[in-house]
Amino acid sequence: NHNMPYDQFTVQQLAGDLLPNATTGDILATAFNRNHMYNGEGGRIPEETRVENVFDRVETMSTTWLGLTVGCSRCHDHKFDAISQKEYYQFYDYFNQTSEEGIGYHGRVVPVLDLSPPEKLEKVAKLQKYVDGISTRVADKELEKFPRSEDLPASESTLAADLDGDNLYALSFAPHQRNPYFIGLLQNYYQEQDPEYATLLMELKDAKYDHDRQSAENLQVMVMDQLEHPRPTHILERGTYNKPMEQVTRDVPKVLPSLPENVTNDRLALARWLVSRDHPLTARVTVNRYWQNFFGNGMVKTIEDFGVQGALPTHPGLLDWLAVDFMESRWEDRKSVV
């Protein structure tokens, strides 16, 4: 509505949270990359969901800004375009560093940005601190009750082997990750067998309910953030979430312009690279979409595919001129197309 320059819009959408002194508006813009489906049903594997969400970010970014369909490179080298499977997962690494865990309920999966008044923010913070304290007590109790290595969930203990599916599933998550329904299942199961443990679970369930009720009153939006300690990224065998192969580090495909030297190679650098003057593909793809909006077809009819399998431009010189004019006009669409 305010004709924000498209390069600024791009950077905020993809990496607003990483901007120096990021504003609430900068962070809010990254909600674009959290528009995923979440499934809270029992049996759903959080890591599988999280990986699928990262796939979605990579492929949406590539189609929207680069006009490239990179999805088949999840499983093998692209059969037509010069993008290898390794390069796909190097792209993937940029979007693999958010603290999202792939599990949540009530439409608010952390990380979230809370846009509520200060007094409501304070209430949620206090309730969260209370939940964290009880979660720690439950975790300590479960380490004693279900002996195993500290890096494994309670469900991996041999003493949990006789539990039914739902209770075993509940124990596969750390206490702070469980929703009240599954905490309640465990509480009912152990009510007579271990009253002390059941009482702790009841406290956690009630604390979670209180926290969730207050959170439901607050205006919370799922956004992006960046892990303090990077998550390792691997090529996944045929794109399967639990079949890691070679570890990779983030980079852009060799067929495209290189990143500038001496930059911090993160999601912000990727966003700025997309709208660099040394990377005119983004401008071509964007003005081609504008052309389609005005005239029904783009000069490249396959607006989402500028690759080998896409259509050739009907007027390549005009497309180039419009792309250059778009960048020279501060990426403002009213100046470039009219």
Side-chain angles (χ1 to χ4, degrees):
N1 290 340
H2 299 288
N3 196 28
M4 177 187 289
Y6 189 70
D7 56 344
Q8 180 185 344
F9 170 83
T10 295
V11 170
Q12 288 183 221
Q13 291 272 275
L14 295 176
D17 58 305
L18 298 181
L19 286 168
N21 304 312
T23 66
T24 297
D26 293 333
I27 299 169
L28 181 62
T30 67
F32 168 78
N33 261 322
R34 296 294 308 285
N35 285 323
H36 308 293
M37 293 185 292
Y38 289 93
N39 188 334
E41 290 183 18
R44 181 66 178 172
I45 302 170
E47 180 62 7
E48 184 176 18
T49 295
R50 191 193 69 78
V51 167
E52 287 176 355
N53 291 349
V54 181
F55 287 152
D56 190 23
R57 290 172 199 145
V58 173
E59 292 163 25
T60 299
M61 179 272 295
S62 299
T63 301
T64 303
W65 279 275
L66 298 172
L68 292 176
T69 55
V70 301
C72 63
S73 297
R74 285 189 201 182
C75 303
H76 50 73
D77 293 350
H78 203 296
K79 291 186 180 297
F80 302 104
D81 297 330
I83 300 172
S84 68
Q85 186 183 23
K86 179 176 181 178
E87 288 174 323
Y88 177 94
Y89 285 97
Q90 289 177 310
F91 248 167
Y92 176 102
D93 191 36
Y94 287 103
F95 297 96
N96 193 35
Q97 304 306 325
T98 295
S99 65
E100 173 200 11
E101 295 180 331
I103 185 172
Y105 51 98
H106 300 321
R108 292 179 299 278
V109 179
V110 293
V112 296
L113 176 65
D114 198 321
L115 300 171
S116 306
E119 60 273 14
K120 287 194 173 184
L121 292 176
E122 187 177 353
K123 283 183 181 179
V124 169
K126 285 182 177 178
L127 289 167
Q128 184 61 57
K129 186 176 181 180
Y130 184 52
V131 169
D132 292 342
I134 299 175
S135 295
T136 299
R137 289 163 55 201
V138 172
D140 291 342
K141 173 68 176 177
E142 289 181 351
L143 194 58
E144 177 185 311
K145 185 174 179 63
F146 304 106
R148 80 280 179 195
S149 171
E150 284 194 45
D151 60 337
L152 294 175
S155 58
E156 294 297 314
S157 171
T158 56
L159 295 184
D162 61 339
L163 292 175
D164 62 31
D166 282 344
N167 285 312
L168 192 63
Y169 179 72
L171 287 176
S172 68
F173 300 102
H176 74 276
Q177 294 176 310
R178 297 172 199 156
N179 68 34
Y181 171 75
F182 284 106
I183 298 170
L185 288 180
L186 284 170
Q187 177 200 337
N188 291 336
Y189 184 83
Y190 284 103
Q191 195 69 56
E192 295 183 3
Q193 297 181 43
D194 190 340
E196 180 188 353
Y197 178 46
T199 299
L200 261 182
L201 290 169
M202 182 177 67
E203 287 183 45
L204 178 59
K205 181 182 69 175
D206 291 345
K208 283 261 189 177
Y209 271 132
D210 291 342
H211 175 272
D212 292 346
R213 274 196 295 269
Q214 181 60 55
S215 292
E217 294 180 13
N218 288 19
L219 177 58
Q220 295 183 335
V221 182
M222 297 187 297
V223 292
M224 297 287 280
D225 67 358
Q226 191 84 345
L227 288 169
E228 184 178 350
H229 303 290
R231 177 187 286 117
T233 294
H234 297 83
I235 297 173
L236 301 177
E237 183 181 343
R238 298 198 62 79
T240 305
Y241 79 96
N242 60 351
K243 292 187 176 180
M245 300 193 296
E246 175 189 351
Q247 185 170 344
V248 297
T249 54
R250 64 195 71 127
D251 201 357
V252 298
K254 297 294 185 290
V255 72
L256 299 174
S258 301
L259 285 166
E261 295 182 3
N262 302 318
V263 297
T264 301
N265 188 11
D266 57 11
R267 191 165 23 91
L268 180 58
L270 178 71
R272 287 172 169 163
W273 167 80
L274 285 170
V275 288
S276 164
R277 287 298 300 269
D278 297 326
H279 189 311
L281 182 56
T282 297
R284 286 190 177 97
V285 169
T286 305
V287 297
N288 190 61
R289 292 183 192 276
Y290 294 157
W291 191 272
Q292 182 196 47
N293 287 341
F294 280 104
F295 301 112
N297 285 315
M299 282 178 273
V300 177
K301 290 186 178 180
T302 52
I303 61 167
E304 78 291 343
D305 188 358
F306 273 47
V308 173
Q309 292 294 95
L312 293 173
T314 56
H315 299 78
L318 177 58
L319 181 62
D320 283 351
W321 183 87
L322 285 171
V324 171
D325 184 60
F326 186 37
M327 291 186 287
E328 290 181 348
S329 300
R330 295 182 58 247
W331 296 82
E332 293 181 350
D333 53 9
R334 283 190 289 222
K335 290 181 179 178
S336 65
V337 177
V338 174

